[in-house]
Amino acid sequence: MDSIDRALLRALQENSSRSIADLAEIVGASSSSCHRRIKSLEAAGIITGYSALLDPQRLGLKLHAFVEISLESQSRTSMERFEAAVAGFDDILECHLTSGNADYIVRIAAHDLEHFDRIHRGCLSLLPGVSSMRSSFAIRTIKRGKGYPTG
Amino acid sequence: MDSIDRALLRALQENSSRSIADLAEIVGASSSSCHRRIKSLEAAGIITGYSALLDPQRLGLKLHAFVEISLESQSRTSMERFEAAVAGFDDILECHLTSGNADYIVRIAAHDLEHFDRIHRGCLSLLPGVSSMRSSFAIRTIKRGKGYPTG
DNA sequence: AGTGAAATGGACAAATA
DNA sequence: TATTTGTCCATTTCACT
């Protein structure tokens, strides 16, 4: 992992559909070296895959919500039951266990408030062992970076 | 936007480096139709780009934090000043204005607690007009979906 | 279905450390 | 010495028309 690798990762996060020749020019290396570097970054598991980025607005997903969820019990079984239920719901885009007392942060995308209400009642409220939930709606996205900083 | 388009978007979010022939087989359409559909989804701005996915762990970014930030004032100028400052910091991956009284949710990736402390003191605490901040650390990621549901 | 571009993989010499 | 890089090379796959 040198500065050329980092530049490669930056360029590939920003746009992965460039040709290797273009990438080589951007990072200042030869095409073959570039190709080898990408292959080893993939083999090392640093690059985990390639994905198409979609515009949620144009998919009609105009509502983003962050929901903080606390469990009644922090026992291992109740957490496992909760997490298994989360995995089953497609409307839950993301879920993290956070510091504190068995709190989770969940990210939801919905078409509108009515859809969010349906998700809330037909999905979030069905999660087992929940003691409290607090929803924040994203009114406007200030910044949405593509991926991670490479240092 | 029919069911084939939605299947295409699902497949492309999951893995965008498949060949068109493979995609065609997955969604049950001909290669040429598939190709045309992808081009129009791109032209319509539904597909906004393609990106490489990186493993934050292997980049040494083992600490994920969500920081809720409240401003002292909700005036337009103080919000604009805050948002401009946010845009300038690479360590802030994501920032959303959320419902409530000028609260923001910010996402941070750091190498470790010491690095987070550096970000906290050298970046977050420099943001103008902040009245309070609350950090939650992601102990474990339960679920991280690739992109959005397509319906 | 055909064309052209690009990815892939290999061989070898030069450079680097 | 050992590892990495750059310049060819041939093959094949694939996007695009």
Side-chain angles (χ1 to χ4, degrees):
Chain A
M1 273 289 275
D2 56 9
S3 65
I4 293 184
D5 280 327
R6 283 189 286 273
L8 254 180
L9 293 176
R10 232 174 295 131
L12 286 171
Q13 283 190 108
E14 208 229 354
N15 175 10
S16 67
S17 53
R18 279 188 270 243
S19 75
I20 294 199
D22 285 352
L23 286 168
E25 197 179 357
I26 290 172
V27 305
S30 73
S31 294
S32 65
S33 164
C34 213
H35 183 241
R36 272 191 295 251
R37 281 169 183 274
I38 293 172
K39 288 299 149 191
S40 31
L41 289 168
E42 287 170 359
I46 294 174
I47 297 176
T48 58
Y50 298 88
S51 172
L53 305 177
L54 308 188
D55 181 349
Q57 297 287 328
R58 308 217 188 201
L59 287 171
L61 298 168
K62 303 190 188 245
L63 198 63
H64 278 248
F66 295 91
V67 186
E68 285 183 77
I69 301 177
S70 301
L71 297 193
E72 290 163 353
S73 152
Q74 322 174 24
S75 73
R76 174 171 175 165
T77 53
S78 64
M79 290 175 68
E80 280 173 355
R81 285 207 310 146
F82 175 85
E83 291 169 17
V86 161
F89 288 120
D90 285 343
D91 292 311
I92 298 182
L93 303 182
E94 214 175 307
C95 176
H96 304 269
L97 174 64
T98 61
S99 56
N101 294 327
D103 284 332
Y104 293 90
I105 285 186
V106 152
R107 181 208 290 261
I108 304 278
H111 292 92
D112 48 33
L113 270 173
E114 191 206 323
H115 184 208
F116 180 78
D117 182 47
R118 275 210 304 284
I119 294 172
H120 197 280
R121 290 192 297 164
C123 160
L124 297 181
S125 70
L126 297 181
L127 292 167
V130 171
S131 77
S132 74
M133 291 196 327
R134 189 172 74 91
S135 301
S136 304
F137 296 106
I139 296 173
R140 190 160 47 87
T141 295
I142 315 306
K143 182 177 191 174
R144 183 178 11 163
K146 294 181 180 177
Y148 298 98
T150 54
Chain B
M1 274 289 275
D2 57 8
S3 65
I4 293 184
D5 281 326
R6 284 190 285 273
L8 255 180
L9 293 176
R10 232 175 295 133
L12 285 171
Q13 283 190 108
E14 207 228 355
N15 175 9
S16 68
S17 55
R18 278 188 270 242
S19 72
I20 293 195
D22 285 351
L23 287 168
E25 197 179 357
I26 291 172
V27 305
S30 72
S31 292
S32 59
S33 157
C34 213
H35 186 248
R36 256 179 292 118
R37 283 171 183 273
I38 293 172
K39 287 299 148 193
S40 24
L41 289 167
E42 287 170 359
I46 294 175
I47 298 176
T48 58
Y50 298 89
S51 171
L53 306 177
L54 308 188
D55 181 347
Q57 298 286 326
R58 308 213 188 205
L59 286 172
L61 298 169
K62 304 193 189 244
L63 198 64
H64 278 249
F66 296 91
V67 186
E68 286 181 76
I69 301 177
S70 301
L71 297 193
E72 290 163 353
S73 152
Q74 321 173 23
S75 72
R76 174 172 173 163
T77 52
S78 64
M79 289 176 68
E80 279 174 354
R81 285 206 311 145
F82 175 85
E83 291 169 17
V86 161
F89 287 121
D90 285 344
D91 292 312
I92 298 181
L93 304 182
E94 215 174 307
C95 176
H96 304 269
L97 173 64
T98 61
S99 55
N101 293 326
D103 284 333
Y104 293 90
I105 286 186
V106 151
R107 181 209 289 262
I108 305 278
H111 292 91
D112 48 33
L113 271 173
E114 192 205 323
H115 184 208
F116 181 78
D117 182 47
R118 274 209 305 283
I119 294 172
H120 196 281
R121 289 191 298 164
C123 159
L124 297 181
S125 70
L126 296 182
L127 292 168
V130 171
S131 77
S132 75
M133 293 197 326
R134 190 172 74 89
S135 301
S136 304
F137 296 106
I139 296 173
R140 188 159 47 87
T141 295
I142 314 306
K143 182 177 191 174
R144 182 179 11 165
K146 295 180 179 177
Y148 298 98
T150 54

